[in-house]
Amino acid sequence: MSVVTVERKILKKNDEIAGENRMIFRNHHLFTLNMLSSPGSGKTTLLEKTLAQLPKEIKCAVIEGDVQTDNDARRIEKYQVPVVQIVTNGGCHLEAKLIQDALDNFKLQDLNLLIIENVGNLVCPANYDLGEDKKIVLVSTTEGDDKPLKYPSMFRVSDVLVINKIDLLPYVDFSLEQVRKNALQINPDLEVFEVSCRTGEGLENWMKWLVTATRGR
Amino acid sequence: MSIAQNIVSIVDETLAGEKYQRLREVVVDVGELVAVVPESLEFCYMVITEKTKFQDSKLTIRVLPLVGKCRKCQAESKVERFDFVCAKCQARDLEIIQGEELHISHLEVD
């Protein structure tokens, strides 16, 4: 028997392509978001509200990742932004190569902002860098406030936490204070927004952050 | 599944120039913070290698606990229950020095 030393990162290939994507985004002054959450937290709804409120001069494109159907892309098309649907056919996350291939569909020089909506899953997408500037993780008040403790990796790698559906707080056993505490214990640098996509409450702070970050690019 | 596929293709590349009869074992290091469930990775590896030249090889996963280094007092301490706080000075300013790994350490072949 003999031992062969390998010492290689398993996702090296993905990381390399993500690095290429990052260069492409930089060269086009494109600010890029990767939106992550469990299914049903409100990623697509936050995206719709965001597109509706974006200032005219910010040109945005969207990549939708789903296991099946192009329902989300159809929802986004109504906002007259370029959108590409990636159907992963069972795959539980997006990979950097899929994003790179999807970029061929856009005129990158005309864009300022690219929003990628990942597959609804709080586990695997945490491992796959897409080359984005910021990872946004959503949690809604109809889920448990211990979500960050159950999926620590996702909260550690994210830059922004959006707590959605705060209009439902009177009806659910969800503590804003507790979810903040749990998330910040894992990642003290998280920027936190509390919103209701349904009533619009809190969205102005999120929009302010997004517009400032996009213009800064 | 995708991680298991990546493992198999790296193993294949690594062994391409080697003289060996049989792959015995693949040893992988997975940090505690990485979103991988060892049992399901083992299962995926088994499914992918079935009826291939790597059939019956074993995937061994070594889980590396989370260790942080405090940016304030420089102390190194184990991170318990994903609470990123320095065990010595209680500062919430830890740099992760172990626990984010996802790599193949080595292979054993006959």
Side-chain angles (χ1 to χ4, degrees), chain B residues 94-105:
Chain B
L94 290 187
E95 181 196 351
I96 300 176
I97 55 171
Q98 181 184 283
E100 292 181 305
E101 300 76 3
L102 183 57
H103 64 246
I104 303 181
S105 164

Side-chain angles (χ1 to χ4, degrees), chain A residues 1-3, chain B residues 24-25 108-110:
Chain A
M1 189 207 74
S2 62
V3 172
Chain B
R24 213 186 248 252
E25 189 179 1
E108 288 184 14
V109 294
D110 287 325

Side-chain angles (χ1 to χ4, degrees), chain B residues 13-14 21 27 32 43 49 54 60 65 74 76 93:
Chain B
E13 264 174 51
T14 309
Q21 295 287 320
V27 180
E32 194 183 350
F43 178 74
T49 55
F54 300 141
T60 300
Q74 311 303 319
E76 287 179 13
D93 196 3

Side-chain angles (χ1 to χ4, degrees), chain B residues 15-57:
Chain B
L15 290 177
E18 301 274 338
K19 282 206 176 96
Y20 70 102
Q21 295 287 320
R22 183 176 82 93
L23 174 67
R24 213 186 248 252
E25 189 179 1
V26 179
V27 180
V28 168
D29 288 329
V30 178
E32 194 183 350
L33 189 64
V34 177
V36 166
V37 181
E39 292 76 14
S40 69
L41 183 55
E42 282 165 9
F43 178 74
C44 291
Y45 181 82
M46 196 182 75
V47 171
I48 292 173
T49 55
E50 206 171 20
K51 293 183 182 146
T52 72
K53 59 186 165 181
F54 300 141
Q55 177 159 345
D56 298 329
S57 63

Side-chain angles (χ1 to χ4, degrees), chain A residues 44-54 56 58-62 64 71-83 197:
Chain A
T44 315
T45 310
L46 177 63
L47 189 49
E48 287 180 291
K49 299 290 169 184
T50 301
L51 293 173
Q53 294 186 26
L54 265 185
K56 286 272 176 290
I58 293 184
K59 301 296 176 208
C60 180
V62 173
E64 281 289 342
N71 292 357
D72 284 359
R74 286 201 231 166
R75 276 169 70 179
I76 298 308
E77 270 170 358
K78 291 180 195 142
Y79 297 86
Q80 264 121 44
V81 296
V83 54
C197 287

